[in-house]
Amino acid sequence: MAKLKGFFLVCALCCMPSAHVLFAGGRADDAEKTAINNEWSLCITAIDNSGLPDTHKNAGDVIIRNLVELLDSVNYRLRISPEYAYYEGYAWQQSKNTVARNIANKQNERALLLYRGEPGWRYRRNLKRIDDDIAKLMESFAEIESEKPLINTVPEFRLSQSNLSGNFPVPPKPGGEHRFCQSQRADAFLAGEIREFHGRYYIRLQLYALYSHSFIFEDDIIFSLDDAGGAVEEIAARLTSVLSGNRPAAVMVQAEPPESQVIINRNYAGRGTVQTREYPPGKITIAVAAEGYSPQTVETELAAGELAEVSVNLSPLIYSDVNVSAVSNFPPLLYMGALYVGEPPLTLRLPIDSLVYIVTETKGGEEAKVVFITPDMPGESLDISLRTKIPPFGEKRVNRARTRHYWAWGGTWIAGITAWITNGIFTGRNAVLAQSSSQEFYDATQTLYYVSTGAVVVLGAVAIYELVQMSRYVYTAASGATPIARQERAKK
């Protein structure tokens, strides 16, 4: 038995080093570094609107509110090298300062042991404890000094706590930007102004970043109230690109013919050749149009830092002939949409395979209108003949027909439910009529039969009336609709 115990003891001693190595390996895996500084906070300050008249300040508030709402599309920030280096150095210095301060406190505590007047054994015990703590802090300081902290390169973007509470603090005065960011616990703040400029609005924005100790973005735009939506989207897109840390993209457009009008993301960009313009990375829509040419729309995806060159060559429109005639009691006038084109009969020269709406009106109040598609081949023509008449009495006539249809529909439901209930009661009483000898029960059952039959007859009459009113409503509502011409095309 003693030999067996000795054998087990030797095995246990042999296994101890491997267990120690295994435990140490587990600690190394658990000690994997985690990134710090996982949020990037922006503080939006109160926009200065003192340059707006009192009557326009509400419009200015709406514009700024829309701008702030558009910033919600930012979800993260990509840290560039200078910003990463700033936060890395700041966190590194903070960690070293914290440990150095703890070492200084422990050394002061060690020096004060001499003045406590404690017994020798207690003095030596406390001295050893403090020396051990100082040694551990020195090791910790050496570890921190030898390895820089890991900073999150893609922190989450969020607004500052004051903004989330619905407050927009007053921007700092020049020289106080850095202290303002620290007091708001923000990595950057956005300031700006909006004022009137010769009947238009002028917005100027500035973005101050803590890591650079300076303004890293400044932009302005002038626009009218009608163009406010597109202008705010444009300046918000450029600001969003800066806030997300992406490099802006650029696009240059060359359009033929030179008089072509170029619209980029619903904003007018110029005619013909549009020089390089910066846009945030993402999808961009370019629309090009010129009189006498087929318009063209191009969509492309811009990458960060990319210069995209887009060439658009518009094709000349090809025309066909449409012959329009009119039968009327008065001299008719012909309009294509809202544009007067002459008196029929006449021939319209229109682009092929296009949808056209024309109206003929007379001084006597007669009119006719039609929608048609022009021939899809240049060698074809289309004949359109219009017959004018007094239009039906507008909306009141349709409303009256609709009301009658709804009342008839409701009456049909009521009559149907009544017929169903009375028939069910009659069927139940009639099933037990043969087993009853009461004359009173028989008379009541007969009365119920007549009521049930009458309810079914009323249901049929009301249903027919509903069909009539529904047909009348459909006809009345459609009588004022523009017809679609389907005449045969005649080749030249």
Side-chain angles (χ1 to χ4, degrees):
M1 179 65 70
K3 292 181 178 180
L4 186 61
K5 288 182 179 179
F7 173 75
F8 283 122
L9 181 60
V10 170
C11 291
L13 291 174
C14 292
C15 293
M16 283 181 64
S18 60
H20 173 73
V21 172
L22 180 63
F23 179 72
R27 283 203 308 269
D29 292 338
D30 293 339
E32 185 179 355
K33 292 178 63 176
T34 57
I36 61 175
N37 207 303
N38 298 312
E39 290 184 347
W40 198 89
S41 175
L42 171 69
C43 178
I44 301 176
T45 63
I47 304 298
D48 181 13
N49 62 353
S50 59
L52 288 177
D54 293 338
T55 55
H56 292 180
K57 286 187 177 180
N58 289 336
D61 292 340
V62 172
I63 292 172
I64 296 303
R65 194 180 309 118
N66 292 338
L67 177 62
V68 173
E69 290 177 357
L70 290 172
L71 297 182
D72 288 340
S73 61
V74 183
N75 298 318
Y76 67 91
R77 175 172 176 81
L78 181 64
R79 282 198 170 109
I80 58 177
S81 298
E83 181 177 350
Y84 185 91
Y86 168 80
Y87 286 102
E88 181 186 58
Y90 180 80
W92 194 24
Q93 191 62 41
Q94 287 291 103
S95 301
K96 291 192 291 184
N97 288 345
T98 301
V99 177
R101 189 162 48 249
N102 292 335
I103 292 175
N105 292 336
K106 284 294 181 179
Q107 288 176 342
N108 291 335
E109 182 180 354
R110 187 180 189 279
L112 291 175
L113 286 178
L114 294 173
Y115 302 98
R116 289 184 179 179
E118 296 177 342
W121 63 271
R122 182 177 296 176
Y123 170 77
R124 289 188 296 273
R125 186 188 64 182
N126 291 336
L127 184 64
K128 182 178 184 306
R129 174 180 58 80
I130 294 176
D131 287 342
D132 291 341
D133 291 342
I134 292 176
K136 292 179 181 179
L137 289 173
M138 293 297 293
E139 291 178 3
S140 178
F141 184 83
E143 291 179 2
I144 293 175
E145 196 172 26
S146 63
E147 188 173 4
K148 295 180 180 180
L150 179 63
I151 305 298
N152 193 339
T153 57
V154 190
E156 179 185 358
F157 175 87
R158 67 176 182 86
L159 296 180
S160 66
Q161 193 60 43
S162 59
N163 290 157
L164 295 176
S165 302
N167 299 321
F168 298 91
V170 177
K173 295 181 179 180
E177 293 89 356
H178 194 81
R179 288 193 302 273
F180 178 82
C181 284
Q182 292 178 330
S183 64
Q184 294 293 327
R185 296 181 179 275
D187 298 276
F189 73 86
L190 180 68
E193 64 170 331
I194 178 171
R195 56 185 172 86
E196 189 180 24
F197 184 81
H198 300 288
R200 297 180 172 232
Y201 290 97
Y202 171 80
I203 288 183
R204 177 171 172 267
L205 296 177
Q206 289 181 303
L207 181 68
Y208 180 90
L210 191 63
Y211 79 90
S212 66
H213 299 274
S214 63
F215 289 94
I216 62 173
F217 172 82
E218 184 173 345
D219 199 1
D220 53 29
I221 192 169
I222 299 174
F223 58 92
S224 64
L225 186 59
D226 295 336
D227 300 330
V232 172
E233 286 185 5
E234 181 178 346
I235 196 171
R238 295 199 289 264
L239 179 59
T240 298
S241 177
V242 175
L243 289 176
S244 61
N246 291 326
R247 291 178 297 165
V251 63
M252 184 177 68
V253 181
Q254 293 181 340
E256 290 291 340
E259 65 271 16
S260 301
Q261 295 188 8
V262 181
I263 297 176
I264 303 178
N265 285 351
R266 298 181 298 174
N267 293 313
Y268 179 74
R271 291 179 178 270
T273 300
V274 177
Q275 298 301 327
T276 303
R277 288 188 171 213
E278 289 187 349
Y279 287 92
K283 183 177 292 186
I284 188 173
T285 303
I286 303 170
V288 182
E291 186 176 358
Y293 292 83
S294 298
Q296 190 172 346
T297 301
V298 178
E299 286 189 356
T300 185
E301 192 83 16
L302 298 180
E306 175 192 12
L307 171 59
E309 297 182 4
V310 180
S311 298
V312 180
N313 293 320
L314 300 183
S315 302
L317 290 174
I318 303 175
Y319 294 88
S320 61
D321 293 336
V322 177
N323 304 313
V324 182
S325 61
V327 178
S328 176
N329 297 322
F330 302 92
L333 303 176
L334 185 63
Y335 297 86
M336 192 163 61
L339 178 66
Y340 172 73
V341 294
E343 299 181 6
L346 61 101
T347 299
L348 299 176
R349 189 77 171 159
L350 301 174
I352 65 172
D353 200 22
S354 58
L355 188 67
V356 181
Y357 169 70
I358 60 175
V359 180
T360 301
E361 297 179 352
T362 68
K363 294 182 179 180
E366 297 180 351
E367 70 174 31
K369 50 188 176 180
V370 68
V371 173
F372 61 90
I373 297 177
T374 60
D376 54 5
M377 296 294 293
E380 296 181 349
S381 64
L382 180 64
D383 296 327
I384 301 291
S385 179
L386 302 174
R387 182 178 297 275
T388 62
K389 62 180 180 179
I390 300 294
F393 186 70
E395 187 177 352
K396 290 185 178 180
R397 180 168 171 264
V398 177
N399 288 341
R400 186 164 56 249
R402 184 191 299 113
T403 301
R404 290 179 179 177
H405 162 59
Y406 287 163
W407 276 106
W409 177 254
T412 303
W413 271 97
I414 295 173
I417 294 173
T418 303
W420 176 65
I421 293 175
T422 55
N423 184 70
I425 297 174
F426 166 73
T427 302
R429 293 177 67 94
N430 189 57
V432 298
L433 182 62
Q435 302 175 7
S436 175
S437 58
S438 171
Q439 183 64 32
E440 183 178 353
F441 184 81
Y442 175 81
D443 293 340
T445 304
Q446 284 295 110
T447 303
L448 194 57
Y449 166 75
Y450 295 130
V451 172
S452 175
T453 303
V456 173
V457 173
V458 171
L459 173 61
V462 173
I464 295 173
Y465 180 72
E466 156 60 15
L467 291 175
V468 172
Q469 292 301 324
M470 183 175 62
S471 301
R472 182 172 178 270
Y473 170 52
V474 172
Y475 172 78
T476 304
S479 61
T482 303
I484 300 176
R486 301 182 183 278
Q487 285 86 348
E488 293 291 334
R489 294 182 174 87
K491 291 187 178 182
K492 287 186 176 180

